[in-house]
């Protein structure tokens, strides 16, 4: 089976060959023999590819200057398993997730691989077409017969007869204020079918914002309101898309507990989640999505949650004999050390600092950071982490001013590169123009620059405008801009936000290698424990009362840092015996009770 996909946003016939024949058409062997395998669209804005005539030679892919064409050869049996296609030369989805009553099914895979499409099909927002268009569009009876003998047959019977109430928590919660207005309490009261609002508000810490207008809420507050509204509705099926975005660690655990409680009510729950630790914690089964983003996606058979996540990281699905990753992702269980860091010269020493912002008060314990070191920053939302990053940048500027004014001072000036939490790249210019404006440090090797572009997959979006990028794409550009700028200290605030599982792991590897190669240092604010575990050498913890006061402690070694933080969060982590990835212990489990009894919330002695 052959799939040809054209990215119409990238296809620019007027730019690739304004006066002559287009390269893809000119060099196609079938076109040269007289077949109309590739032709120019009547509107002149893109080309059309006829899959049945394509030989899969790949010449058009190499000749296209904008990487707009993808030709993929798939096993023939998949031809009968296509469930949805957006159109001719468009994305295809194969198979479906199997809903299970009283269980949480987690979905794991890259962005653009079909997860949100699949949720829209299950919610009825998209009419499943089995890859057929126009007059060949399948009937409801065709769809039911297609899934005959599986749980999906009854699901679609109930969906078509409107016998099930489906609750869909969307991915992009920032759009909610555009469609909903009013105070939070009033909005949630309308959805409170079983008088559970007070209990849920206590569990998700919403009591203090019930009198606020929905339009003034932060991302984390909007996320918790959206999850609460979905839970309060009396549904049969809950489809929840990326519920941990904007939430800190404790809020993610509270959210996961709430979602898991739906199982006790025998509900069908399907969740898309990129935080592997949270996905592991809340799911009973997982389905893997693999393929090529924007081209095709294939849904694996359901797997047990531990086995499924390990399969995803190892990259080989044994029961389908498919390799989805060339190199397995490996986590290294670094042994705890007595001193929190032991290599490299001191790059920056900062003293105790204080800062007042309205009613909020921040205190910072002074410390130091070394060459080659990454300090991971952990703490709840609203505790002053972003304020601390800005304070560090101000502290460096003051230090440089003193050095500049003191002619006898031989210290060199320290430079800082900041990737803020909220990215303000909104220019109507191409990504390639932004990258060209970056002043790459002169000592950076060509291999470093190439790794930066490749690991963040910037080549495929370089011809798109900044204002048209998704949150994840914008995040990747901002990370590249930060790491490419010549600096001594790199400050990255929530770099994994909006990134999928694959890109989080690539970003973490890139950051780890970059700091080691440059012999510089970095402070990284991050809520994803697995990402933080992968990159950090030491941990800086914030304690206090969110919104009122915060205190940044001095950095600790990994063992003490994670132990102290997780004790504050009242959760324990263990290591997976195969992949060594961190896993959240279920509250009250044998592992959880044992680790609490020996006061080891993260590293367990062997």
């Amino acid at each position: 089976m052959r799939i040809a996909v054209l990215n119409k946003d990238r296809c620019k016939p007027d730019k690739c060959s304004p006066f002559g024949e287009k390269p893809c058409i000119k060099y196609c062997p079938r076109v040269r023999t007289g077949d109309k395998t590739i032709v120019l669209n009547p509107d002149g804005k893109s080309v059309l590819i006829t899959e049945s005539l394509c030989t899969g030679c790949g010449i058009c892919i190499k000749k296209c200057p904008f990487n707009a064409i993808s030709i993929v050869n798939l096993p023939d049996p998949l031809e009968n398993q296509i469930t949805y296609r957006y159109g001719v030369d468009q994305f295809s989805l194969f198979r479906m997730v199997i809903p299970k009553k009283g269980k949480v099914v987690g979905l794991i895979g890259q962005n653009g691989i079909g997860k949100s499409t699949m949720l829209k099909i299950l919610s009825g927002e998209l009419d499943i077409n089995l890859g057929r268009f126009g007059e060949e569009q399948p009937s409801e009876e065709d769809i039911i017969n297609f899934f005959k003998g599986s749980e999906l047959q009854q699901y679609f019977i109930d969906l078509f007869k409107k016998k099930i109430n489906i609750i869909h928590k969307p991915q992009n919660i920032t759009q909610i204020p555009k469609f909903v207005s009013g105070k939070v309490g009033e909005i949630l009261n309308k959805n409170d079918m079983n008088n559970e609002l007070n209990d849920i508000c206590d569990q998700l810490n919403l009591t203090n914002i019930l009198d606020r207008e929905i339009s003034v809420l932060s991302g984390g507050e909007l996320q918790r309101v959206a999850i609460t509204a979905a839970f309060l509705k009396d549904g049969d099926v809950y489809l929840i898309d990326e519920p941990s975005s904007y939430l800190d660690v404790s809020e993610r655990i509270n959210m996961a507990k709430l979602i898991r409680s739906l199982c006790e009510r025998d509900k069908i729950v399907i969740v898309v989640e990129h935080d592997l630790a949270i996905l592991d914690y809340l799911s009973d089964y997982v389905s893997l999505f693999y393929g090529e983003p924007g081209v095709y996606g294939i849904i694996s058979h359901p797997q047990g949650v531990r086995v499924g996540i390990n399969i995803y990281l190892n990259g080989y699905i044994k029961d389908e004999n498919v390799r989805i990753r060339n190199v397995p992702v490996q986590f290294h269980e670094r042994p705890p050390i007595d001193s929190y860091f032991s290599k490299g010269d001191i790059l920056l020493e900062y003293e105790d600092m204080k800062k007042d912002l309205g009613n909020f008060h921040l205190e910072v314990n002074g410390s130091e950071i070394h060459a080659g070191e990454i300090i991971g920053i952990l703490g709840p939302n609203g505790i002053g982490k972003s304020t601390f990053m800005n304070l560090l940048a101000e502290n460096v500027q003051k230090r440089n001013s003193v050095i500049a004014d003191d002619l006898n001072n031989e210290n060199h000036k320290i430079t800082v590169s900041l990737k803020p939490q909220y990215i303000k790249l909104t220019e109507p210019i191409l990504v390639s123009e932004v990258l060209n404006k970056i002043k790459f440090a002169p000592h950076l090797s060509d291999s470093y620059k190439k790794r930066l572009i490749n690991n963040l997959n910037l080549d495929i979006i370089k011809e798109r405008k900044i204002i048209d990028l998704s949150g994840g794409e914008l995040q990747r550009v901002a990370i590249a801009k930060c790491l490419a700028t010549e600096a001594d200290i790199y400050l990255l605030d929530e770099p994994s936000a909006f990134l999928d599982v694959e890109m989080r792991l690539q970003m973490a590897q890139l950051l780890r290698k970059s700091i080691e190669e440059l012999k510089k240092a970095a402070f990284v604010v991050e809520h994803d424990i697995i990402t933080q575990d992968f990159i950090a050498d030491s941990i800086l913890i914030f304690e206090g009362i969110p919104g009122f006061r915060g205190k940044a402690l001095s950095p600790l070694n990994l063992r003490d840092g994670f132990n102290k933080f997780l004790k504050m969060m009242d959760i324990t982590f263990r290591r997976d015996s195969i992949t060594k990835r961190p896993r959240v212990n279920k509250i009250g489990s044998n592992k959880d009770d044992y680790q609490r009894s020996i006061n080891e919330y993260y590293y367990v002695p062997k």
Side-chain angles (χ1 to χ4, degrees):
M1 179 187 180
R2 183 171 294 111
I3 290 181
V5 174
L6 176 75
N7 188 318
K8 290 184 169 57
D9 292 332
R10 296 184 204 163
C11 183
K12 299 176 173 38
D14 56 327
K15 291 186 178 180
C16 69
S17 186
F19 306 110
E21 202 168 7
K22 316 309 167 192
C24 58
I25 298 174
K26 180 178 180 180
Y27 293 103
C28 175
R30 294 298 295 264
V31 171
R32 297 174 78 170
T33 60
D35 293 328
K36 294 185 178 181
T37 308
I38 307 177
V39 296
L40 190 64
N41 207 317
D43 61 12
K45 295 181 180 179
S46 61
V47 298
L48 292 171
I49 304 172
T50 306
E51 287 173 340
S52 59
L53 296 176
C54 177
T55 62
C57 66
I59 293 176
C60 58
I61 300 173
K62 297 175 182 177
K63 293 297 181 181
C64 177
F66 301 113
N67 298 316
I69 300 173
S70 297
I71 309 289
V72 179
N73 293 312
L74 296 174
D76 287 336
L78 281 175
E79 190 168 6
N80 298 321
Q81 299 179 45
I82 186 168
T83 51
Y84 189 82
R85 191 165 194 186
Y86 279 93
V88 178
D89 298 342
Q90 298 298 303
F91 178 85
S92 298
L93 181 66
F94 296 86
R95 303 182 191 148
M96 285 290 290
V97 167
I98 310 294
K100 295 181 181 291
K101 271 195 172 185
K103 303 292 182 184
V104 177
V105 179
L107 310 184
I108 178 173
Q110 295 174 266
N111 285 334
I113 207 76
K115 300 186 300 298
S116 295
T117 295
M118 198 277 310
L119 290 187
K120 289 178 181 178
I121 291 172
L122 290 179
S123 68
E125 295 175 45
L126 272 182
D127 293 327
I128 191 168
N129 62 18
L130 306 181
R132 307 178 204 165
F133 313 106
E135 296 179 357
E136 297 181 1
Q137 187 90 3
S139 64
E140 291 182 357
E141 186 177 352
D142 291 334
I143 295 168
I144 291 169
N145 287 332
F146 183 82
F147 294 109
K148 194 171 184 178
S150 73
E151 293 99 320
L152 284 165
Q153 180 184 14
Q154 188 59 49
Y155 183 91
F156 280 105
I157 289 173
D158 294 340
L159 178 65
F160 294 145
K161 292 184 177 180
K162 298 183 179 179
K163 287 185 177 181
I164 50 176
N165 183 21
I166 299 172
I167 310 300
H168 186 187
K169 201 291 289 183
Q171 176 187 33
N172 192 356
I173 49 94
T174 57
Q175 298 296 314
I176 291 176
K178 294 182 180 180
F179 304 98
V180 180
S181 60
K183 292 187 176 181
V184 172
E186 295 171 357
I187 294 168
L188 293 179
N189 267 312
K190 293 177 183 177
N191 295 297
D192 191 8
M193 304 297 182
N194 299 310
N195 297 316
E196 298 177 296
L197 180 57
N198 291 335
D199 292 338
I200 305 305
C201 285
D202 288 340
Q203 190 170 343
L204 296 187
N205 298 320
L206 289 174
T207 306
N208 294 331
I209 66 169
L210 292 177
D211 292 330
R212 290 191 200 169
E213 292 289 329
I214 198 83
S215 58
V216 301
L217 298 185
S218 67
E221 291 165 342
L222 268 176
Q223 185 72 271
R224 285 180 282 143
V225 168
I227 292 168
T228 301
F231 186 90
L232 292 173
K233 295 175 182 176
D234 191 14
D236 302 298
V237 179
Y238 292 80
L239 308 175
I240 304 173
D241 204 346
E242 298 189 26
S244 73
S245 299
Y246 302 101
L247 302 184
D248 63 37
V249 176
S250 62
E251 291 170 341
R252 293 181 185 198
I253 296 295
N254 291 336
M255 169 274 295
K257 290 177 183 176
L258 184 67
I259 292 175
R260 281 214 58 81
S261 69
L262 292 169
C263 298
E264 299 170 6
R265 307 181 185 189
D266 209 29
K267 306 296 185 181
I268 291 174
V269 186
I270 298 177
V271 181
V272 174
E273 181 53 66
H274 294 305
D275 185 331
L276 290 182
I278 297 302
L279 182 76
D280 190 357
Y281 183 80
L282 63 81
S283 302
D284 296 294
Y285 298 92
V286 294
S287 284
L288 317 183
F289 282 66
Y290 61 95
E292 190 173 329
V295 180
Y296 74 98
I298 301 173
I299 304 172
S300 76
H301 304 306
Q303 308 279 350
V305 60
R306 174 180 174 273
V307 172
I309 293 177
N310 285 353
I311 286 173
Y312 186 79
L313 293 174
N314 289 328
Y316 177 66
I317 307 176
K318 187 175 181 180
D319 62 338
E320 299 180 29
N321 193 26
V322 172
R323 179 159 293 283
I324 62 175
R325 188 191 310 283
N326 293 326
V327 180
V329 176
Q330 295 179 332
F331 293 85
H332 302 286
E333 187 175 9
R334 287 167 285 179
I337 54 179
D338 293 331
S339 61
Y340 78 86
F341 196 73
S342 58
K343 65 176 182 180
D345 298 329
I346 296 175
L347 284 185
L348 173 68
E349 292 181 274
Y350 58 95
E351 299 176 349
D352 293 353
M353 296 181 283
K354 292 183 180 181
K355 181 78 172 181
D356 290 311
L357 293 172
N359 295 325
F360 179 77
H361 177 69
L362 173 66
E363 291 183 18
V364 177
N365 287 349
S367 189
E368 60 193 28
I369 188 169
H370 306 74
E373 180 184 11
I374 297 178
I375 295 181
I377 298 176
L378 290 170
N381 285 330
I383 203 75
K385 300 186 299 298
S386 296
T387 303
F388 167 72
M389 300 284 258
N390 292 328
L391 267 179
L392 273 180
E394 291 175 12
N395 184 280
V396 169
Q397 288 178 349
K398 290 178 181 177
R399 177 187 179 280
N400 289 341
S401 297
V402 171
I403 292 173
D405 294 339
D406 187 355
L407 297 177
N408 296 319
N409 199 325
E410 296 180 358
N411 291 328
H412 78 283
K413 290 185 178 181
I414 295 175
T415 52
V416 171
S417 179
L418 172 66
K419 200 292 293 179
Q421 180 182 13
Y422 299 107
I423 302 165
K424 297 178 180 179
L425 292 173
T426 57
E427 303 97 326
I429 60 176
L430 299 178
V431 171
S432 57
E433 295 178 63
V434 174
L435 296 177
N436 289 336
K437 286 183 179 180
I438 297 174
K439 294 182 179 179
F440 278 87
H443 62 276
L444 294 183
S445 65
D446 290 336
S447 62
Y448 176 87
K449 299 175 186 177
K450 187 176 181 180
R451 185 170 73 233
L452 201 64
I453 300 298
N454 291 345
N455 281 28
L456 295 172
N457 291 350
L458 297 179
D459 260 343
I460 62 176
I461 61 172
K462 66 181 180 181
E463 295 302 322
R464 293 179 57 193
K465 291 184 177 180
I466 289 291
I467 56 174
D468 295 330
L469 299 182
S470 67
E473 291 165 340
L474 197 59
Q475 185 76 270
R476 283 148 49 194
V477 173
I479 292 170
K481 187 175 180 182
C482 174
L483 293 180
T485 303
E486 184 173 12
D488 298 298
I489 310 294
Y490 293 88
L491 308 175
L492 293 98
D493 201 343
E494 298 191 30
S496 77
F498 306 109
L499 302 184
D500 60 37
V501 176
E502 200 81 13
M503 188 50 64
R504 288 183 187 202
L505 295 172
Q506 287 181 215
M507 177 276 295
Q509 291 172 327
L510 173 68
L511 182 56
R512 181 76 260 166
K513 288 181 179 178
S514 298
I515 296 301
E516 288 176 354
E517 181 178 316
L518 298 176
K519 296 293 187 290
K520 302 301 182 181
F523 289 87
V524 181
V525 174
E526 184 54 68
H527 293 303
D528 187 327
I529 292 291
I530 287 183
T531 302
Q532 197 69 280
D533 173 82
F534 200 95
I535 62 177
D537 296 299
S538 48
I539 299 295
L540 189 157
I541 298 168
F542 276 71
E543 58 183 19
I545 302 174
F548 294 97
R549 59 180 174 82
K551 185 174 183 179
L553 306 179
S554 298
L556 301 168
N557 65 51
L558 290 181
R559 179 177 186 169
D560 293 341
F562 276 119
N563 204 45
K564 183 177 180 65
F565 176 71
L566 294 177
K567 195 171 185 177
M568 288 167 51
M569 298 295 104
D570 196 30
I571 53 176
T572 62
F573 272 71
R574 69 187 185 279
R575 293 278 181 174
D576 182 79
S577 59
I578 298 174
T579 62
K580 304 302 180 185
R581 64 183 171 87
R583 301 185 67 198
V584 186
N585 291 320
K586 300 287 194 295
I587 301 295
S589 67
N590 290 335
K591 283 277 189 183
D592 182 61
D593 290 341
Y594 171 67
Q595 289 183 224
R596 289 173 188 272
S597 70
I598 63 172
N599 200 34
E600 290 287 356
Y601 284 64
Y602 192 67
Y603 286 100
V604 181
K606 295 181 180 178

